[in-house]
Amino acid sequence: MVQYIIRRLLSAIPTLLIISFVIFAILDLAPGDPTGNLPMTVPPEVREKIRLSLGLGEPMHIRYYKWLVQFFVNEPLNIIEHSFGIVIGDGENRTRILSWATRSPVIDLIVERTPQTLWVVGLSYLFGILMAIPIGIIQAYRQYSLFDQIGTFVAMIGFSVPTFFTGVVAIIIFSVQLKWFPMIYDTTLEVNSWNNFVLQVKQMIMPVTVLAFYQASQLSRFMRASILDNLNLDYVRTARAKGRKENAVLMIHVLRNSLIPVVTLIALGIPSIFGGAIITEQIFRVNGLGQLLIIAIQGADIPTVQTLTFLFAVLIVIFNLIADVLYGMLDPRIRYD
Amino acid sequence: MPTNSNANIVLSVKNIVTQFNTVDGKVHAVNGVSFDVRQGELLGVVGESGCGKSVTMMSLVKLLPMPPGEISEGSAIFEGQDLIQTSINDLQKIRGSEIGFIFQDPMTSLNPVLTIGYQLIEPLRLHKNLSKSAARTRAIELLELVGIPMASSRLGDYPHQFSGGMRQRVMIAMALSCDPKLLIADEPTTALDVTMQAQILDLVRSLRNELGMAIIWVTHDLGVVANLADRVMVMYSGFIVERADVTKLYSKPKHPYTYALLKTLPDMEGDRSHRLESIEGQPPDQLKPTTSCPFAPRCEYAFDRCTHENPQLELIAENHEVACWWDMERHSPRPSTSSI
């Protein structure tokens, strides 16, 4: 197992290098100018100077190499220095990946934005899973019952109506009409008292619900299908023939088997927590990673876009590996040698 | 074997009727099947696919999907209790403890993600209230009983680490774990190759002599039954068409269907150049209730009575019952339905 993980991690290195280059090349080829948002009165020579100061004067492969060094050497060293309070080499003059828009290190921006995303999108993913699994189980076990029919109908709405629609509807109903929840997510709110905690919960309810509903809709369908796949198999009849009670048949025999594909799916979906909720973050004004990416794209802030996109790619590779390992842990038929 | 005494009857089934309610209508799977199984006896149940032999057995302990399945009539007295009237909750105490099961396909009948040990210990813990270590010891005994070498080291293995024959042995061990009074084996050798079949049959034969339980052996293989059974009943389209001691059935089949089935067996000694015999036609559509003899359309002896009256099972010789208007020996219709 350990050997397998090491082998997979090693083989991930060339994959990620290629991905990083492709992202870099695409961004470099794409039209877009970091000085595009400056007023028209700024003369071309000044624009050119700004471009040169951003390092755009150098050829692409040099810029790519610099980004590689910054991302894989300088930034990790920086993190190590910060977390252990030690100095390795020339910490002062080490160049970092700087955002063209804010001139601040991209990694710091990401660290700043991550908690909001994790709280809102991560929590909704968690709630989505916690709702979807029991709903899927009951739906499958009582196939074609009223509960199943209603569940199927609601789930159809859930994954066919996009979150930017349900989000806006929720805002109109609950913020504008009923005034129950704030329309804009306030990141500066510090949870230090009971009142602030209530405020925090209030502002999280709408984005979390909208996203959780979407996640649960999809996942409950998979859970239902997976249970149904197993319910008619011979081993279930064997369990019943042994005198097992129905709930034990379901929870011990069927569930273990049914969870194998679903757990894999959940693990593969985790990277989308970071990238996939871009639109929802925009609607509810949650200034998380999704919003950071959108603003960076709009402002042609290439280093930020490059770094964020590449980090998403890393997450996808890592969670693919985690999904495979989980698969092997749940299913004894899978072997890693 | 004292076939006529009623004293040691383990299971007495009367007039079981099972239907499946489908979108196309009611499928009449079992149409009034009655039989007794005595202690220590091995009853063979033969018939082609879809003749209702498995459904009959699964009806007894309600292992059918219900709905669509429905047991509309009949009784099955087991240990003084009518299984058909028993609630699922109470049946769960009987399944696996008083009545053991072996199923057709050992490759899929075991749960792939649970260890052999867990699956073997499950019924023991459930019905016998054994402690974990006692159940483990018993599980090892059982695996040794069914001939699995190095049993104690194999408890932690998963089903995929066993071959098909080994898995069927595990299934047998599981079925026998709580010393059942009755073992229902639903085509247990069908999915195995011939060598494995022979081994499993030997095993069942020796276990039966050792443990003395009643066995119902469902199969479509007449060859298997010939070597194993005391009595055989032949089913067709949800009816029992013939029932007899095994020697009688094979030497003097009375029903044209049994006769035709026996003719389809390949002859090992004789001339092998000719083609294997087959029974022409298809089993009847079970969506309609039968008013004629169900075998009449395929029967070469059928005459007009067969097409509008369904014969009942009748005793025509000692321990030999048949449901047919035609008398194979006299080559003419049976004289009367009411007289024996």
Side-chain angles (χ1 to χ4, degrees), chain B residues 234-251:
Chain B
V234 181
M235 284 187 72
Y236 187 79
S237 190
F239 295 95
I240 298 175
V241 294
E242 183 161 10
R243 174 165 49 203
D245 289 345
V246 66
T247 43
K248 276 188 186 153
L249 189 100
Y250 279 79
S251 59

PDB file of all heavy atoms in Angstrom, chain B residues 234-251:
ATOM      1  N   VAL B 234     -41.164 -34.607  -9.658  1.00  0.00           N
ATOM      2  CA  VAL B 234     -40.913 -33.920 -10.913  1.00  0.00           C
ATOM      3  C   VAL B 234     -41.940 -32.804 -11.030  1.00  0.00           C
ATOM      4  O   VAL B 234     -43.133 -33.022 -10.832  1.00  0.00           O
ATOM      5  CB  VAL B 234     -41.053 -34.889 -12.108  1.00  0.00           C
ATOM      6  CG1 VAL B 234     -40.758 -34.171 -13.414  1.00  0.00           C
ATOM      7  CG2 VAL B 234     -40.126 -36.074 -11.923  1.00  0.00           C
ATOM      8  N   MET B 235     -41.455 -31.598 -11.305  1.00  0.00           N
ATOM      9  CA  MET B 235     -42.379 -30.463 -11.428  1.00  0.00           C
ATOM     10  C   MET B 235     -42.426 -29.973 -12.860  1.00  0.00           C
ATOM     11  O   MET B 235     -41.434 -30.034 -13.603  1.00  0.00           O
ATOM     12  CB  MET B 235     -41.947 -29.328 -10.496  1.00  0.00           C
ATOM     13  CG  MET B 235     -42.283 -29.600  -9.042  1.00  0.00           C
ATOM     14  SD  MET B 235     -41.973 -28.189  -7.987  1.00  0.00           S
ATOM     15  CE  MET B 235     -43.304 -27.085  -8.461  1.00  0.00           C
ATOM     16  N   TYR B 236     -43.607 -29.506 -13.243  1.00  0.00           N
ATOM     17  CA  TYR B 236     -43.761 -28.909 -14.566  1.00  0.00           C
ATOM     18  C   TYR B 236     -44.778 -27.777 -14.462  1.00  0.00           C
ATOM     19  O   TYR B 236     -45.900 -27.980 -13.979  1.00  0.00           O
ATOM     20  CB  TYR B 236     -44.235 -29.960 -15.582  1.00  0.00           C
ATOM     21  CG  TYR B 236     -44.245 -29.422 -16.993  1.00  0.00           C
ATOM     22  CD1 TYR B 236     -43.067 -29.321 -17.720  1.00  0.00           C
ATOM     23  CD2 TYR B 236     -45.424 -28.978 -17.576  1.00  0.00           C
ATOM     24  CE1 TYR B 236     -43.061 -28.793 -18.996  1.00  0.00           C
ATOM     25  CE2 TYR B 236     -45.425 -28.451 -18.851  1.00  0.00           C
ATOM     26  CZ  TYR B 236     -44.245 -28.358 -19.563  1.00  0.00           C
ATOM     27  OH  TYR B 236     -44.237 -27.828 -20.815  1.00  0.00           O
ATOM     28  N   SER B 237     -44.374 -26.578 -14.868  1.00  0.00           N
ATOM     29  CA  SER B 237     -45.268 -25.426 -14.922  1.00  0.00           C
ATOM     30  C   SER B 237     -45.992 -25.172 -13.591  1.00  0.00           C
ATOM     31  O   SER B 237     -47.175 -24.853 -13.566  1.00  0.00           O
ATOM     32  CB  SER B 237     -46.278 -25.626 -16.044  1.00  0.00           C
ATOM     33  OG  SER B 237     -46.978 -24.427 -16.253  1.00  0.00           O
ATOM     34  N   GLY B 238     -45.301 -25.345 -12.509  1.00  0.00           N
ATOM     35  CA  GLY B 238     -45.875 -25.055 -11.199  1.00  0.00           C
ATOM     36  C   GLY B 238     -46.712 -26.175 -10.613  1.00  0.00           C
ATOM     37  O   GLY B 238     -47.363 -25.986  -9.589  1.00  0.00           O
ATOM     38  N   PHE B 239     -46.736 -27.336 -11.251  1.00  0.00           N
ATOM     39  CA  PHE B 239     -47.443 -28.499 -10.727  1.00  0.00           C
ATOM     40  C   PHE B 239     -46.446 -29.628 -10.466  1.00  0.00           C
ATOM     41  O   PHE B 239     -45.427 -29.723 -11.147  1.00  0.00           O
ATOM     42  CB  PHE B 239     -48.462 -29.028 -11.748  1.00  0.00           C
ATOM     43  CG  PHE B 239     -49.580 -28.078 -12.030  1.00  0.00           C
ATOM     44  CD1 PHE B 239     -49.501 -27.213 -13.118  1.00  0.00           C
ATOM     45  CD2 PHE B 239     -50.708 -28.053 -11.227  1.00  0.00           C
ATOM     46  CE1 PHE B 239     -50.538 -26.331 -13.382  1.00  0.00           C
ATOM     47  CE2 PHE B 239     -51.743 -27.175 -11.500  1.00  0.00           C
ATOM     48  CZ  PHE B 239     -51.668 -26.307 -12.577  1.00  0.00           C
ATOM     49  N   ILE B 240     -46.806 -30.494  -9.498  1.00  0.00           N
ATOM     50  CA  ILE B 240     -46.052 -31.738  -9.384  1.00  0.00           C
ATOM     51  C   ILE B 240     -46.699 -32.706 -10.355  1.00  0.00           C
ATOM     52  O   ILE B 240     -47.918 -32.920 -10.299  1.00  0.00           O
ATOM     53  CB  ILE B 240     -46.105 -32.302  -7.954  1.00  0.00           C
ATOM     54  CG1 ILE B 240     -45.471 -31.321  -6.978  1.00  0.00           C
ATOM     55  CG2 ILE B 240     -45.383 -33.642  -7.885  1.00  0.00           C
ATOM     56  CD1 ILE B 240     -45.594 -31.741  -5.533  1.00  0.00           C
ATOM     57  N   VAL B 241     -45.919 -33.279 -11.273  1.00  0.00           N
ATOM     58  CA  VAL B 241     -46.523 -34.202 -12.240  1.00  0.00           C
ATOM     59  C   VAL B 241     -46.237 -35.653 -11.884  1.00  0.00           C
ATOM     60  O   VAL B 241     -46.984 -36.547 -12.290  1.00  0.00           O
ATOM     61  CB  VAL B 241     -46.071 -33.902 -13.695  1.00  0.00           C
ATOM     62  CG1 VAL B 241     -46.605 -32.554 -14.143  1.00  0.00           C
ATOM     63  CG2 VAL B 241     -44.572 -33.968 -13.835  1.00  0.00           C
ATOM     64  N   GLU B 242     -45.170 -35.888 -11.137  1.00  0.00           N
ATOM     65  CA  GLU B 242     -44.897 -37.263 -10.741  1.00  0.00           C
ATOM     66  C   GLU B 242     -44.043 -37.271  -9.488  1.00  0.00           C
ATOM     67  O   GLU B 242     -43.187 -36.406  -9.290  1.00  0.00           O
ATOM     68  CB  GLU B 242     -44.165 -38.022 -11.871  1.00  0.00           C
ATOM     69  CG  GLU B 242     -43.930 -39.482 -11.529  1.00  0.00           C
ATOM     70  CD  GLU B 242     -43.644 -40.343 -12.757  1.00  0.00           C
ATOM     71  OE1 GLU B 242     -43.437 -39.764 -13.839  1.00  0.00           O
ATOM     72  OE2 GLU B 242     -43.639 -41.573 -12.605  1.00  0.00           O
ATOM     73  N   ARG B 243     -44.293 -38.263  -8.633  1.00  0.00           N
ATOM     74  CA  ARG B 243     -43.500 -38.382  -7.416  1.00  0.00           C
ATOM     75  C   ARG B 243     -43.351 -39.859  -7.096  1.00  0.00           C
ATOM     76  O   ARG B 243     -44.338 -40.606  -7.122  1.00  0.00           O
ATOM     77  CB  ARG B 243     -44.185 -37.658  -6.272  1.00  0.00           C
ATOM     78  CG  ARG B 243     -43.494 -37.863  -4.936  1.00  0.00           C
ATOM     79  CD  ARG B 243     -43.971 -36.876  -3.914  1.00  0.00           C
ATOM     80  NE  ARG B 243     -45.412 -36.799  -3.850  1.00  0.00           N
ATOM     81  CZ  ARG B 243     -46.082 -35.743  -3.377  1.00  0.00           C
ATOM     82  NH1 ARG B 243     -45.419 -34.688  -2.965  1.00  0.00           N
ATOM     83  NH2 ARG B 243     -47.383 -35.740  -3.322  1.00  0.00           N
ATOM     84  N   ALA B 244     -42.122 -40.286  -6.820  1.00  0.00           N
ATOM     85  CA  ALA B 244     -41.899 -41.710  -6.573  1.00  0.00           C
ATOM     86  C   ALA B 244     -40.566 -41.921  -5.876  1.00  0.00           C
ATOM     87  O   ALA B 244     -39.749 -41.002  -5.789  1.00  0.00           O
ATOM     88  CB  ALA B 244     -41.915 -42.481  -7.890  1.00  0.00           C
ATOM     89  N   ASP B 245     -40.357 -43.137  -5.395  1.00  0.00           N
ATOM     90  CA  ASP B 245     -39.031 -43.513  -4.920  1.00  0.00           C
ATOM     91  C   ASP B 245     -38.078 -43.421  -6.094  1.00  0.00           C
ATOM     92  O   ASP B 245     -38.462 -43.656  -7.235  1.00  0.00           O
ATOM     93  CB  ASP B 245     -39.035 -44.960  -4.413  1.00  0.00           C
ATOM     94  CG  ASP B 245     -39.791 -45.064  -3.109  1.00  0.00           C
ATOM     95  OD1 ASP B 245     -40.040 -44.017  -2.501  1.00  0.00           O
ATOM     96  OD2 ASP B 245     -40.137 -46.193  -2.728  1.00  0.00           O
ATOM     97  N   VAL B 246     -36.846 -43.143  -5.789  1.00  0.00           N
ATOM     98  CA  VAL B 246     -35.929 -42.826  -6.876  1.00  0.00           C
ATOM     99  C   VAL B 246     -35.779 -43.987  -7.860  1.00  0.00           C
ATOM    100  O   VAL B 246     -35.779 -43.791  -9.080  1.00  0.00           O
ATOM    101  CB  VAL B 246     -34.572 -42.335  -6.310  1.00  0.00           C
ATOM    102  CG1 VAL B 246     -33.827 -43.420  -5.565  1.00  0.00           C
ATOM    103  CG2 VAL B 246     -33.725 -41.723  -7.390  1.00  0.00           C
ATOM    104  N   THR B 247     -35.714 -45.216  -7.338  1.00  0.00           N
ATOM    105  CA  THR B 247     -35.525 -46.358  -8.249  1.00  0.00           C
ATOM    106  C   THR B 247     -36.730 -46.534  -9.154  1.00  0.00           C
ATOM    107  O   THR B 247     -36.596 -46.798 -10.348  1.00  0.00           O
ATOM    108  CB  THR B 247     -35.286 -47.647  -7.449  1.00  0.00           C
ATOM    109  OG1 THR B 247     -36.201 -47.671  -6.358  1.00  0.00           O
ATOM    110  CG2 THR B 247     -33.866 -47.716  -6.934  1.00  0.00           C
ATOM    111  N   LYS B 248     -37.930 -46.372  -8.558  1.00  0.00           N
ATOM    112  CA  LYS B 248     -39.160 -46.524  -9.349  1.00  0.00           C
ATOM    113  C   LYS B 248     -39.236 -45.474 -10.445  1.00  0.00           C
ATOM    114  O   LYS B 248     -39.593 -45.767 -11.579  1.00  0.00           O
ATOM    115  CB  LYS B 248     -40.386 -46.392  -8.451  1.00  0.00           C
ATOM    116  CG  LYS B 248     -40.746 -47.670  -7.756  1.00  0.00           C
ATOM    117  CD  LYS B 248     -42.056 -47.527  -7.045  1.00  0.00           C
ATOM    118  CE  LYS B 248     -42.320 -48.779  -6.237  1.00  0.00           C
ATOM    119  NZ  LYS B 248     -43.157 -48.517  -5.080  1.00  0.00           N
ATOM    120  N   LEU B 249     -38.910 -44.246 -10.054  1.00  0.00           N
ATOM    121  CA  LEU B 249     -39.038 -43.162 -11.026  1.00  0.00           C
ATOM    122  C   LEU B 249     -38.113 -43.390 -12.213  1.00  0.00           C
ATOM    123  O   LEU B 249     -38.477 -43.135 -13.361  1.00  0.00           O
ATOM    124  CB  LEU B 249     -38.725 -41.820 -10.368  1.00  0.00           C
ATOM    125  CG  LEU B 249     -39.051 -40.637 -11.270  1.00  0.00           C
ATOM    126  CD1 LEU B 249     -40.377 -40.030 -10.875  1.00  0.00           C
ATOM    127  CD2 LEU B 249     -37.962 -39.599 -11.265  1.00  0.00           C
ATOM    128  N   TYR B 250     -36.926 -43.874 -11.935  1.00  0.00           N
ATOM    129  CA  TYR B 250     -35.974 -44.041 -13.034  1.00  0.00           C
ATOM    130  C   TYR B 250     -36.254 -45.301 -13.845  1.00  0.00           C
ATOM    131  O   TYR B 250     -36.045 -45.313 -15.055  1.00  0.00           O
ATOM    132  CB  TYR B 250     -34.537 -44.053 -12.490  1.00  0.00           C
ATOM    133  CG  TYR B 250     -34.030 -42.659 -12.235  1.00  0.00           C
ATOM    134  CD1 TYR B 250     -34.401 -41.969 -11.099  1.00  0.00           C
ATOM    135  CD2 TYR B 250     -33.211 -42.018 -13.152  1.00  0.00           C
ATOM    136  CE1 TYR B 250     -33.976 -40.685 -10.864  1.00  0.00           C
ATOM    137  CE2 TYR B 250     -32.772 -40.733 -12.928  1.00  0.00           C
ATOM    138  CZ  TYR B 250     -33.161 -40.067 -11.782  1.00  0.00           C
ATOM    139  OH  TYR B 250     -32.733 -38.790 -11.570  1.00  0.00           O
ATOM    140  N   SER B 251     -36.752 -46.356 -13.148  1.00  0.00           N
ATOM    141  CA  SER B 251     -36.989 -47.583 -13.904  1.00  0.00           C
ATOM    142  C   SER B 251     -38.355 -47.578 -14.580  1.00  0.00           C
ATOM    143  O   SER B 251     -38.504 -48.072 -15.692  1.00  0.00           O
ATOM    144  CB  SER B 251     -36.844 -48.803 -12.990  1.00  0.00           C
ATOM    145  OG  SER B 251     -37.765 -48.697 -11.923  1.00  0.00           O
TER     146      SER B 251
END
